[in-house]
Structures are given as C-alpha cells and as structure tokens.
Amino acid sequence: MTAFRSIRVRLTLWYTLALVTLLTLFAVGVYGVVRIRLSEQLGERLNTQYAALEQSLREEPDPEERETEELEELERIGLTEAFVIYQDDEMFYRSRLWPAQLAEVDTEPSSGVARQSETALDFRVRRGRLDWHGHRYEIAVAVNDTDVKKTLHSLAIILATGLPMTVMLAVGGGWWLASRAMRPVAHIAAQARQINADRLSERLPVDNPHDEIGELATVFNEMLERLQDAFARVRSFAADASHELRTPLTALRSVGEAAMQHRDNASSYREAVGSMLEEATRLVSLLDNLLVLTRAEADRALVRPEKCDLGLLVHEVVECIGVLAEEKGQELSVEEAVGVTVWADATLVRQSVLNVLDNAIKFTPVGGRIEVRVGSTPMAGAVEIRDSGPGIAEEHRERIFERFYRVDSARASERGSGLGLPIARWAVGANRGRIELETEVGAGSTFRLFFPIRDGGQP
C-alpha cells in the first residue's frame, strides 16, 4: 500500500482508469454506430429492390398477359439480386440468385424485413403482398449480410486488439509524464531538508516560476525570506538588548565595588546608592520599553481609541517632563489650539508625545529652545515639536526610528536607550496616524505627529 501514497502512482492509476473508460466507451460507440449504419444500408437495399419489383408488377395493366421478360431484365441489369414472386400461391418467378437455402424456407407471406437464420447463411428477407387486378402477389427479396457480419467482426477484432495496446502505450506515457512532472518536487524536497535556522539564506530551486510547482516554490521562498528577516531581527534585538542591559548592570557593579572600597565614608555610600538607584531606574525604563516593543511586534498591545482632547494630553506631557528642560536651562514653550479632539488611544498618544519631546530635550543643547504646537488639519489633529538641536543628517533620518539606533557617539553620550523614537512611531501608527520629520543639520529638527479626528479616518 506504500506505493499508493505516491502522487505519481495515483496520477498514473487515475489517468489509466479514465483512459480505459473513455476508450471503452469510444470503441463501443464506434462499433454500435457502424453496425446500425450497415444495417440501415442493408435495409435500404432491400426496400429499393422490393420497390422496383412492385413497380414492375404494377406497370402491367393486364395481369393475365403478364410475362417474365421485364423481371429478367431487372435481374440482368442488377437492379434486383435475389427474389421470388408468387402469384395466387403459385410461383410466378424466381431469380437465379435466389439462394437454394431459402427454397425450403417457409414462404408464408408476410410483410416487413426479417432475418432468415435457419440456413447456413444469413440472409435478410423483405416480404410483402400486392393485390392487383384480382390477383394476389407475394414478393420476397433477400440479400446476403455475410459481408456485413465480416465487416463488424473485423472491426471488433481491431478494436479489441487496438484498445489494450493503446492503453499500454498511454500508461507508459502517463507514467513518464508523471515522473517528469514530479521531478521538481523531489528536488524541492531534497533542498528543503537542507534548510535550517543556520541556512535560511538558501532558497528552493524554481525551474519554471509560471507553473504550479514553480509558484509553490516561489511562495516557500518568500516565506523563507520572511523567516530569515524575522530571525535576523530577533538576533539583532537579542544582541542590542544584551548590550543595552549590560551597560547599566556594569555601572551598578562598578558603583558597588567603588562603594566597598570606601566603607567608612557615609557620604560615599549615599552617593553610591544614589547612582545605583539611578542606574536601576534606567534599567527598569529600558525593560519597560523593550516590553512595549515586544508586545507591539507580537500584535498583543491593546489599543482602545476614544475621543480625547489633544491639547490637554500635550499639556499633561509638558507638565510632566518640563522639569528636565528647566534643569538644562532650555526654553520650552507650548502653543495650544482650542478644541482639537482626536480619535485615538490617549495612553499611546501621551507616550508618543512624551518620547519625542524627551528626545528633543536630550539632544537640544543647554540654553536651547523647544517649541510645542497643537493644531489641526481637515482630517487630523497635529502635534509639532521643534527644537534648536544639531539636526539630523540625511543618512540617519529614517534609521533613527530603528531600535537601538543612535546617530553618533556624541548623541550616544546622552545615554538614550535608542527605543524612544521607535516606540513613538509605533504608538502613532497604532492609532492609524503618521509621524513626519523635517530637519536640517545645524538648524534643529521638527517632528510632526498626526492623529485621526474621526473613528476609522486617516490623517
């Protein structure tokens, strides 16, 4: 039964079964049509000869003077073959071709066409009665259908021998075609067995991308490409996360070791504990951000859009983070438009504004200026955060939204986690919004966040 699991075997068997069925129906149909047609031709011959004899009898106006010359003439010219005519139960004329085997056949007058099989030979006989001028004529016309039987017998032999040979040739051809068609599948299976997590860059062979197998292999290759990209992002994420976690943990250990070297100095202990708490806070913040991104990529983050006051949300964020700008001596101004409402998740809106504003405060120099504006367009509520920082070079403008990406070492010294802007972009996108960046090196940067103002709308 193992062989029947093969698609090639099943295809060949189904193909053979279908072919045998069709050929058998075709052969039976051909035999039946030929037989019917030959029988019809034989009947037409009988009818034609019978009509000629009947016409000959009717042409004689006086049956008492009827002679046989006209019947002999019909026999001579071949218009009739074998026939016999009885006049008032007495034989009137019998052709020379009238078979002797029929001489003993019951010649009881009857009409229609019948087969005489009592003799060694097969004849088809057409009999009929004609009443003409007070006389009764019984007419019998016979034709030998041996040739018809031989023709049908030959046709049956041809079909009976040709059908198996055709089936055998077709089965062989079907097996060859099935083997050839399934060969790419074997190659794909062999190549697929070689692919594992360390060889995701390899692809399945595609001999013909336009047939079904090629299309299937192309789809698998696209899936492998997505898996490769996912594995690469997971590995990059693990490496970046390990690196980012290592920094505060190393700082904690260093501060702890330094404190142990100054056991008698209470102020050093307090300073060490303060530093350790600061690193612990940064570590917790980093883990929170990683958790947010992990949930976002797994589509497990809950988004609850509702109608909310965008100006009020921005005001709360500025109140919360404004103290950081004050510590750096930065000028932070807010310009709020009245009555700007959006349809979004308030928590995510607050987080996106907080991350972008926190990023602006970090990278704007001491004494710099940061402006926050809240406005609207016909389709969206907008938050614009403009800073007087160093700006972002063109090659970094898209990559700053990647996880753990930092523009340069100088910006890295600000100790950002590299997760703020990626989370901000995700939070805006989760609300069906968009984020835009306009920046110029040396002239500062402007981030614009757009949120839809209607349920299901697009900014």
Side-chain angles (χ1 to χ4, degrees):
M1 297 299 291
T2 305
F4 291 98
R5 298 177 183 174
S6 169
I7 294 178
R8 178 173 54 184
V9 174
R10 283 182 288 173
L11 281 176
T12 303
L13 290 178
W14 279 110
Y15 169 74
T16 303
L17 179 61
L19 183 64
V20 168
T21 302
L22 292 176
L23 288 178
T24 302
L25 293 176
F26 175 76
V28 172
V30 168
Y31 184 85
V33 169
V34 171
R35 181 177 181 179
I36 292 173
R37 184 55 185 157
L38 291 177
S39 178
E40 289 176 349
Q41 291 178 350
L42 207 60
E44 291 173 358
R45 283 175 57 191
L46 280 173
N47 291 334
T48 301
Q49 294 182 22
Y50 181 88
L53 292 173
E54 190 178 70
Q55 181 65 27
S56 175
L57 294 176
R58 289 179 183 277
E59 288 177 352
E60 178 58 50
D62 186 1
E64 300 297 338
E65 299 179 358
R66 183 182 304 278
E67 300 294 340
T68 61
E69 288 79 2
E70 188 173 353
L71 298 175
E72 292 174 353
E73 179 65 15
L74 291 175
E75 184 179 1
R76 187 182 64 79
I77 64 177
L79 188 58
T80 57
E81 299 176 21
F83 62 93
V84 61
I85 299 174
Y86 288 84
Q87 180 179 5
D88 298 329
D89 297 332
E90 295 293 333
M91 181 179 290
F92 176 71
Y93 185 86
R94 186 173 65 185
S95 67
R96 294 187 301 275
L97 297 178
W98 182 257
Q101 291 85 349
L102 294 178
E104 300 177 356
V105 173
D106 183 11
T107 57
E108 182 68 21
S110 61
S111 59
V113 177
R115 175 181 297 278
Q116 289 289 359
S117 59
E118 292 85 348
T119 62
L121 299 177
D122 287 334
F123 291 90
R124 294 194 67 182
V125 180
R126 169 76 163 87
R127 292 175 177 170
R129 175 183 294 176
L130 173 64
D131 294 324
W132 186 251
H133 291 285
H135 294 278
R136 187 183 62 188
Y137 297 93
E138 283 85 27
I139 307 172
V141 182
V143 293
N144 191 339
D145 64 352
T146 303
D147 292 341
V148 173
K149 293 182 64 178
K150 289 181 178 179
T151 301
L152 292 176
H153 181 69
S154 300
L155 178 62
I157 292 176
I158 293 173
L159 293 175
T161 56
L163 181 63
M165 294 178 64
T166 304
V167 170
M168 291 177 62
L169 292 175
V171 169
W175 177 264
W176 181 78
L177 287 176
S179 301
R180 184 178 177 83
M182 300 306 296
R183 191 177 303 161
V185 177
H187 293 165
I188 291 174
Q191 180 64 21
R193 291 190 183 96
Q194 305 297 323
I195 298 177
N196 53 35
D198 297 327
R199 303 176 64 178
L200 286 175
S201 60
E202 298 184 9
R203 295 293 180 267
L204 302 178
V206 181
D207 297 332
N208 183 2
H210 303 295
D211 62 13
E212 290 78 358
I213 296 176
E215 185 177 356
L216 179 63
T218 302
V219 171
F220 271 108
N221 284 338
E222 293 173 353
M223 183 185 68
L224 287 173
E225 188 171 351
R226 292 194 295 272
L227 286 175
Q228 183 184 12
D229 181 65
F231 268 71
R233 285 190 285 113
V234 168
R235 287 168 179 165
S236 175
F237 181 81
D240 293 340
S242 299
H243 176 75
E244 294 301 324
L245 291 174
R246 177 184 176 87
T247 301
L249 288 175
T250 302
L252 281 173
R253 187 181 66 180
S254 300
V255 172
E257 290 175 351
M260 291 297 294
Q261 294 175 1
H262 302 83
R263 299 179 181 180
D264 299 332
N265 192 331
S267 61
S268 297
Y269 266 116
R270 285 195 294 273
E271 183 178 352
V273 171
S275 298
M276 294 175 71
L277 289 175
E278 182 180 350
E279 293 298 332
T281 301
R282 186 174 295 109
L283 186 59
V284 170
S285 176
L286 176 60
L287 290 175
D288 288 341
N289 288 335
L290 288 175
L291 183 60
V292 169
L293 285 176
T294 301
R295 288 176 175 173
E297 292 190 351
D299 291 332
R300 291 188 301 170
L302 295 178
V303 180
R304 299 184 178 89
E306 59 183 352
K307 192 174 182 179
C308 50
D309 189 328
L310 185 60
L312 179 60
L313 294 176
V314 172
H315 180 75
E316 291 175 357
V317 171
V318 173
E319 287 290 327
C320 176
I321 203 173
V323 64
L324 299 179
E326 292 178 4
E327 290 177 355
K328 296 184 67 173
Q330 297 168 338
E331 179 184 351
L332 176 60
S333 62
V334 181
E335 182 180 338
E336 301 177 19
V338 179
V340 178
T341 58
V342 295
W343 188 265
D345 187 307
T347 301
L348 297 182
V349 172
R350 191 181 294 109
Q351 186 169 20
S352 61
V353 176
L354 177 66
N355 285 10
V356 175
L357 184 57
D358 178 66
N359 192 72
I361 293 173
K362 282 180 182 176
F363 301 109
T364 298
V366 175
R369 186 179 67 260
I370 301 172
E371 300 173 358
V372 181
R373 294 190 180 93
V374 179
S376 64
T377 68
M379 299 297 293
V383 179
E384 180 180 279
I385 300 174
R386 181 191 302 272
D387 64 60
S388 60
I392 303 171
E394 184 175 358
E395 63 268 23
H396 302 299
R397 291 174 187 173
E398 184 59 31
R399 298 201 62 189
I400 60 173
F401 294 103
E402 297 178 3
R403 291 171 307 183
F404 302 112
Y405 184 79
R406 296 182 176 86
V407 173
D408 51 39
S409 58
R411 295 175 71 90
S413 66
E414 299 293 340
R415 306 199 59 160
S417 65
L419 297 176
L421 290 180
I423 291 176
R425 185 166 69 171
W426 165 78
V428 173
N431 284 296
R432 300 186 308 280
R434 71 177 191 276
I435 185 169
E436 295 178 353
L437 169 62
E438 180 180 337
T439 181
E440 182 178 353
V441 177
S445 303
T446 301
F447 288 85
R448 297 186 181 88
L449 288 65
F450 297 91
F451 300 94
I453 60 177
R454 296 186 183 88
D455 183 15
Q458 296 290 335

